[in-house]
Amino acid sequence: MADMKCNVAVMYMHDYLDGELAREDILQLQQHLRECPQCCSRYEALERTDALVKAQPIEKAPKELGDRIMKSLPGSRRPTAWTSWVRRHPAVSAAAIFLVVMLSSFVSMWNQSQEFSVSGPDLEHVVIEGKKVIVPEGQKVSGDLTVVNGDVQVLGALDGNLTVIDGHLTPLASTAHIAGEIKTIDRAVDWLWYKVSSFFGTLAYGS
């Protein structure tokens, strides 16, 4: 049986007094205590303390203590009328939350998007001068054309829709021809409706 070190013996003493020490470890501890007077004195002191603690009477809690504790706890909060309505109409609530989130994000985008931009599938024949977009006379632009925060002048042909957001559309020249719709959006509400329509159009038609 290997010699036990004093620090291990002290740890085993507490486990032994608590009745949680394995039989093999008990034998090693007992052998160490027979050979180490210092650890033996320490164990005897711990044993006396343990016996003194166990000899003390256990105070029982008053019977009414449980009732007093329960009464001191805060009462459950009653749900408000609108909370109950939300629970009864989850689908409507979800749709309302979706619309609020969409409105907030669109209005935020409207306030933050102050940069000039031009988008469309065919910009090769489009002339851009500063913040002015020109479809030159004798040129044909295929597809939709969208201009944000800029002015538009159409002198040639546009085979698609023209959308001007927060900008200005110069009156069409006699040589101008636009095959699709002309949309001028100058207000956040109109812009929101345009975005919502475009979003659901994308979902329905994939473009």
Side-chain angles (χ1 to χ4, degrees):
M1 188 178 296
D3 293 338
M4 178 180 291
K5 295 183 178 181
C6 292
N7 59 339
V8 177
V10 172
M11 181 179 63
Y12 278 13
M13 291 178 196
H14 294 278
D15 293 340
Y16 177 67
L17 293 174
D18 292 337
E20 299 177 353
L21 194 62
R23 177 175 176 77
E24 182 178 340
D25 296 332
I26 292 175
L27 296 177
Q28 292 185 22
L29 175 63
Q30 290 175 346
Q31 179 180 346
H32 181 80
L33 294 178
R34 287 193 295 267
E35 297 173 353
C36 181
Q38 185 177 357
C39 286
C40 184
S41 299
R42 181 190 294 269
Y43 173 75
E44 290 176 354
L46 287 174
E47 190 176 33
R48 289 193 298 270
T49 302
D50 184 68
L52 181 62
V53 172
K54 293 180 178 178
Q56 296 298 319
I58 300 176
E59 294 290 340
K60 294 183 178 181
K63 295 182 179 180
E64 66 275 8
L65 179 61
D67 295 336
R68 289 164 53 189
I69 293 176
M70 295 301 297
K71 290 180 180 179
S72 65
L73 295 176
S76 58
R77 298 177 59 185
R78 299 181 61 183
T80 58
W82 73 269
T83 303
S84 301
W85 188 91
V86 168
R87 291 179 178 176
R88 291 195 304 268
H89 305 84
V92 177
S93 304
I97 294 174
F98 172 77
L99 290 177
V100 170
V101 172
M102 180 180 291
L103 176 63
S104 301
S105 62
F106 283 165
V107 171
S108 177
M109 291 170 61
W110 167 265
N111 292 330
Q112 296 176 3
S113 180
Q114 300 297 327
E115 296 182 357
F116 167 74
S117 65
V118 181
S119 60
D122 180 17
L123 300 180
E124 181 180 357
H125 302 298
V126 174
V127 177
I128 300 176
E129 298 176 351
K131 289 189 175 182
K132 186 173 183 179
V133 180
I134 303 172
V135 178
E137 183 178 353
Q139 298 291 342
K140 180 179 180 180
V141 177
S142 300
D144 297 339
L145 180 64
T146 301
V147 179
V148 181
N149 294 313
D151 297 333
V152 182
Q153 183 178 17
V154 180
L155 302 174
L158 174 63
D159 188 14
N161 299 325
L162 174 62
T163 304
V164 183
I165 301 175
D166 199 19
H168 177 69
L169 175 61
T170 302
L172 300 180
S174 59
T175 57
H177 173 73
I178 299 177
E181 295 181 333
I182 300 175
K183 302 176 184 178
T184 302
I185 302 172
D186 294 320
R187 296 177 301 167
V189 175
D190 293 337
W191 185 83
L192 172 62
W193 176 249
Y194 166 75
K195 279 293 185 180
V196 172
S197 302
S198 300
F199 173 75
F200 285 105
T202 302
L203 291 181
Y205 302 106
S207 62

